[in-house]
Amino acid sequence: MATENIMRVNLKVWRQAGPKEKGAFVTYENVETTPDTSFLETLDILNETLVEKGEEPIVFDHDCREGICGMCSLYINGHPHGPATGATTCQLYMRRFKNGETITVEPWRSAAFPVIKDLMVNRNAYDQIQQAGGYVSFNCGGAQDANAIPISKEIADEAMDSATCIGCGACAAACKNGSAMLFVSAKVSQLALLPQGKVEAAARAKAMVAKMDELGFGNCTNTGACAAECPKNISLSNIARLNREFLCAKFKD
Amino acid sequence: MNLFILNSSIGRKLVMSITGLFLVLFLTFHMCMNIVALFSAEAYNMICEFLGANWYALVGTAVLAAGFIIHIIYALVLTIQNRKARGNDRYEVTSRPKSVEWASQNMLALGVVILSFLALHLYHFWAKMQLVELQHMAGTNVDTSMVTNGAYYIQQTFSNPVNVVLYLIALCALWFHLSHGFWSALQSMGLDNKTWFNRVKNIGIVYATILVGGFAIVVIAFFIKSLCCAA
């Protein structure tokens, strides 16, 4: 590590011993890292020093560290997944911050995502919504010839764009209403756009919205904060599609 | 349909959208009517007479009031639910992304400004016109000679600079409310997609500007007129 590349940051981190405990911010000063170190690695470095000192390391979610698993979270300096757009926390590098900067790190704050410990929240609510209807329940058979089902390039692209949602929870975390609409709309859209998913589209929209409401997520007011903060750039047009699918389904009942 | 407009989030938003667009429609009629006052006080008073205390105007007023009340009650219910969904702990640091309009996050506050203005506005006009007519019909001894002289009340109200400032502030709040409200209503009703996203947003802003501009012109014109007459 070349000495000129070393940078120091102050990490103001939310520490909370358990779901029912009262949490508070703890500031760790002069954490040594480099601009090319990822944000999660910087937390790892800090944790090593905490372990050496015999303190409890900071608990945070992470897994693949390449932006596809949806496990990492963190509300960094007022943004879910930090200041970078279209990237997850694991894809965030320290060069985004200034030397000597104080970085505030908070867990997702949403009634439906209770804190488990420190920065780790329980995102089981999204799994429950997915289980309520985010699937195709019949046998589609084996892989068919690619040209057997004609789908236009635009529709295929849009379905793929919706399917890139990793269910990380940044949308609900960014929303001032704690709404999960961007997530639910992406999951409904990726299937509703394609012939196999269209069959159950109405039932799916109703079941997933009912579960979302039941779990205590808020009502969408179209501020667009979700799409602006989404690490996968999921579009707000998905929400319009979900509204359409849901309302059409309800009016047919 | 098992009451989805009451017990589902998207259903409740549908009610907000429909009542909101209904109020936009009302504002459109109101603005067109006001523009008439710029050209002819006589023609404006004819409209006032037409919209006096007769059965169709009263039904219209009742439906309009219902539109306002439903829109406001749903706004309060949705806001309370949303605050609950946000949880008890607030973020220490928050930052609004550039693409998020200020109005979209302050719709309730803007609505409160508009509602307070509405009370003042009803006091300035409705209380002196349709209400007096209704009192007369109920047998109260009131002077009905001025109940359809809307042009006089416009002149009287906007010759006072305090009213002019209050009305213009309220119109600004209305512009911000509509700049988000119009496209948001269409989005909630599902009438939006990638192609129409920016179009709907821009149509909303242009429409809000025409509407608010139409109201503002009348306020300013009558204020200037009062200055000229005084001088």
Side-chain angles (χ1 to χ4, degrees):
Chain A
M1 200 193 282
T3 44
E4 68 264 25
N5 267 341
I6 286 181
M7 67 185 280
R8 287 182 181 79
V9 289
N10 305 319
L11 293 173
K12 187 179 172 189
V13 182
W14 181 260
R15 301 301 308 261
Q16 185 173 335
K20 299 261 187 290
E21 312 287 325
K22 208 172 143 46
F25 283 101
V26 176
T27 304
Y28 300 95
E29 281 175 356
N30 295 319
V31 177
E32 217 173 87
T33 181
T34 79
D36 296 332
T37 305
S38 81
F39 191 81
L40 292 185
E41 283 167 336
T42 304
L43 285 179
D44 292 335
I45 293 167
L46 171 60
N47 271 347
E48 274 176 32
T49 63
L50 292 179
V51 171
E52 276 167 23
K53 279 191 263 178
E55 291 174 32
E56 275 276 305
I58 300 160
V59 174
F60 60 94
D61 269 324
H62 60 97
D63 193 10
C64 77
R65 300 212 180 192
E66 54 185 15
I68 55 163
C69 76
M71 268 317 281
C72 59
S73 56
L74 308 186
Y75 201 85
I76 305 163
N77 279 354
H79 296 281
H81 294 295
T85 50
T88 55
T89 295
C90 63
Q91 294 168 309
L92 176 70
Y93 285 83
M94 296 310 290
R95 51 182 169 265
R96 284 273 174 180
F97 302 97
K98 287 188 209 79
N99 196 10
E101 189 175 340
T102 298
I103 305 166
T104 308
V105 192
E106 303 173 69
W108 285 173
R109 300 250 187 243
S110 173
F113 293 154
V115 171
I116 298 171
K117 194 175 182 184
D118 296 339
L119 302 170
M120 182 189 270
V121 296
N122 185 350
R123 284 172 285 179
N124 178 259
Y126 269 19
D127 296 331
Q128 289 184 51
I129 295 173
Q130 185 71 5
Q131 284 155 8
Y135 50 80
V136 171
S137 69
F138 53 87
N139 190 349
C140 295
Q144 301 178 34
D145 182 88
N147 297 317
I149 306 171
I151 300 168
S152 71
K153 172 90 169 88
E154 294 93 69
I155 297 291
D157 282 350
E158 215 170 334
M160 185 61 215
D161 285 346
S162 309
T164 56
C165 166
I166 51 177
C168 65
C171 41
C175 178
K176 81 176 186 62
N177 309 317
S179 169
M181 284 289 278
L182 195 67
F183 165 75
V184 178
S185 69
K187 294 301 167 196
V188 163
S189 288
Q190 72 175 69
L191 293 167
L193 282 163
L194 299 176
Q196 294 90 338
K198 240 177 209 151
V199 183
E200 294 166 303
R204 178 179 306 114
K206 282 190 285 184
M208 290 180 81
V209 169
K211 184 53 92 177
M212 169 183 88
D213 290 347
E214 179 199 318
L215 292 170
F217 287 102
N219 308 284
C220 171
T221 62
N222 305 316
T223 70
C226 51
E229 299 287 13
C230 175
K232 296 296 163 186
N233 297 324
I234 300 293
S235 157
L236 283 182
S237 59
N238 287 310
I239 295 185
R241 185 179 296 106
L242 172 62
N243 290 332
R244 202 154 59 230
E245 292 284 345
F246 178 86
L247 292 173
C248 287
K250 282 289 183 187
F251 278 116
K252 273 181 202 157
D253 281 355
Chain B
M1 287 202 276
N2 57 50
L3 289 178
F4 73 95
I5 56 166
L6 287 174
N7 58 25
S8 77
S9 57
I10 298 178
R12 286 188 291 266
K13 281 163 38 186
L14 179 71
V15 174
M16 282 304 279
S17 308
I18 291 173
T19 51
L21 290 177
F22 168 69
L23 295 176
V24 169
L25 194 66
F26 155 71
L27 288 174
T28 309
F29 287 131
H30 194 336
M31 189 272 282
C32 292
M33 170 182 162
N34 288 10
I35 294 293
V36 172
L38 283 180
F39 300 104
S40 160
E42 213 170 84
Y44 183 75
N45 286 349
M46 274 170 72
I47 299 174
C48 292
E49 208 166 323
F50 179 69
L51 295 177
N54 44 56
W55 70 268
Y56 47 85
L58 287 176
V59 169
T61 308
V63 172
L64 180 62
F68 269 104
I69 291 166
I70 295 170
H71 194 71
I72 292 163
I73 289 175
Y74 265 71
L76 292 175
V77 170
L78 288 168
T79 306
I80 291 166
Q81 286 177 334
N82 289 350
R83 283 192 71 83
K84 222 172 110 193
R86 200 77 207 79
N88 294 325
D89 291 309
R90 304 279 135 185
Y91 287 117
E92 174 91 352
V93 183
T94 50
S95 163
R96 184 161 53 90
K98 276 193 202 91
S99 60
V100 177
E101 314 145 43
W102 173 82
S104 71
Q105 299 198 316
N106 295 282
M107 288 298 272
L108 186 76
L110 290 166
V112 169
V113 172
I114 295 166
L115 184 64
S116 339
F117 161 75
L118 182 65
L120 182 74
H121 182 55
L122 288 177
Y123 166 73
H124 279 153
F125 293 91
W126 180 77
K128 292 168 187 169
M129 299 169 76
Q130 198 183 53
L131 183 65
V132 175
E133 267 193 87
L134 286 174
Q135 284 169 335
H136 175 70
M137 282 162 72
T140 319
N141 189 19
V142 283
D143 176 17
T144 55
S145 61
M146 294 293 281
V147 289
T148 59
N149 199 349
Y152 168 75
Y153 290 119
I154 293 182
Q155 230 158 23
Q156 194 199 33
T157 307
F158 300 129
S159 59
N160 181 351
V162 176
N163 286 341
V164 173
V165 170
L166 288 176
Y167 271 64
L168 290 180
I169 290 172
L171 286 174
C172 284
L174 182 65
W175 186 88
F176 278 107
H177 198 79
L178 293 180
S179 73
H180 176 70
F182 186 85
W183 93 265
S184 183
L186 296 186
Q187 167 90 0
S188 292
M189 291 164 89
L191 303 171
D192 202 359
N193 60 30
K194 265 191 179 141
T195 320
W196 276 84
F197 191 79
N198 286 326
R199 294 179 193 172
V200 169
K201 267 195 165 178
N202 287 328
I203 290 169
I205 289 171
V206 169
Y207 199 79
T209 308
I210 293 172
L211 211 53
V212 169
F215 282 121
I217 283 174
V218 176
V219 174
I220 294 165
F222 276 89
F223 179 59
I224 292 172
K225 213 166 150 186
S226 76
L227 290 180
C228 295
C229 291

